């Protein structure tokens, strides 16, 4: 039953995972690297790093998660942010294809209500709480 449950969670998150696989795959065409770690595929360096740095606040972003893929700037940034990003993997397993809209709507709500759109986002608060809460030297998604 555990395997079936895991398969369902993977399939539920798969639309977002596919986005991460496409970004990471293109990143590998431009010098990026990839590895499987546990139940996720991590992409880093090369084109993946270039992509992250072009996002809003990307120069401060260590890594970001899309389904069962984690896109990181470097090997070291993945090590630093791994626990935080694995919380996001579990969130994708719960929310599936609704995760990205829910995340962005939550950020918009935080911003409109005068709070910090990133740090006060409940998805981020859960991830920061799980990794000790103090990863403020960078922004992970």
């Amino acid at each position: 039953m555990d395997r079936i449950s895991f398969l369902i969670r993977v399939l539920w998150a798969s639309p977002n995972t596919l986005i991460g696989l496409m970004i990471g795959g293109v990143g590998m065409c431009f010098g990026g690297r990839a590895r499987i770690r546990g139940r996720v595929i991590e992409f880093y360096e090369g084109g993946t790093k270039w992509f992250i740095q072009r996002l809003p606040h990307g120069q401060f972003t260590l890594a970001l998660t899309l389904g069962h893929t984690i896109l990181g700037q470097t090997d070291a940034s993945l090590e630093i942010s791994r626990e935080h990003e694995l919380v996001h993997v579990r969130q994708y397993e719960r929310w599936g294809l609704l995760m990205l809209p829910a995340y962005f709507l939550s950020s918009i709500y935080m911003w409109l209500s005068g709070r910090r759109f990133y740090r006060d986002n409940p998805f981020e608060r859960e991830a920061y709480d799980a990794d000790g809460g103090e990863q403020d030297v960078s922004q992970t998604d």
Side-chain angles (χ1 to χ4, degrees):
M1 191 62 161
D2 287 338
R3 288 186 187 268
I4 292 172
S5 174
F6 175 71
L7 182 60
I8 290 169
R9 290 191 314 268
V10 168
L11 289 173
W12 180 228
S14 67
N16 299 300
T17 302
L18 289 174
I19 296 168
L21 290 172
M22 287 189 305
I23 294 168
V26 171
M28 289 182 67
C29 292
F30 295 95
R33 302 184 66 181
R35 65 177 169 230
I36 296 173
R37 184 166 303 247
R39 64 184 199 260
V40 301
I41 301 172
E42 297 179 337
F43 294 95
Y44 58 103
E45 299 289 353
T48 304
K49 180 178 181 177
W50 181 90
F51 171 79
I52 292 171
Q53 289 179 341
R54 266 95 196 137
L55 295 172
H57 304 287
Q59 69 273 25
F60 303 111
T61 301
L62 291 176
L64 64 94
T65 299
L66 291 164
H68 287 90
T69 61
I70 300 175
L71 308 174
Q73 290 206 36
T74 63
D75 178 54
S77 67
L78 288 168
E79 291 295 325
I80 293 166
S81 64
R82 184 163 290 115
E83 291 304 315
H84 179 101
E85 299 306 327
L86 288 175
V87 172
H88 290 312
V89 171
R90 291 188 295 276
Q91 291 169 342
Y92 276 98
E93 289 177 350
R94 281 193 311 265
W95 287 81
L97 56 99
L98 302 174
M99 176 63 181
L100 287 177
Y103 184 97
F104 288 117
L105 288 172
S106 180
S107 288
I108 290 168
Y109 177 76
M110 291 299 120
W111 180 69
L112 291 174
S113 55
R115 294 185 257 174
R116 300 171 296 179
F117 72 94
Y118 173 76
R119 279 306 294 253
D120 291 331
N121 182 317
F123 294 103
E124 291 301 333
R125 291 182 58 188
E126 179 184 359
Y128 279 109
D129 288 348
D131 75 5
E134 290 304 320
Q135 210 178 44
D136 221 35
V137 295
S138 68
Q139 186 174 1
T140 57
D141 296 309

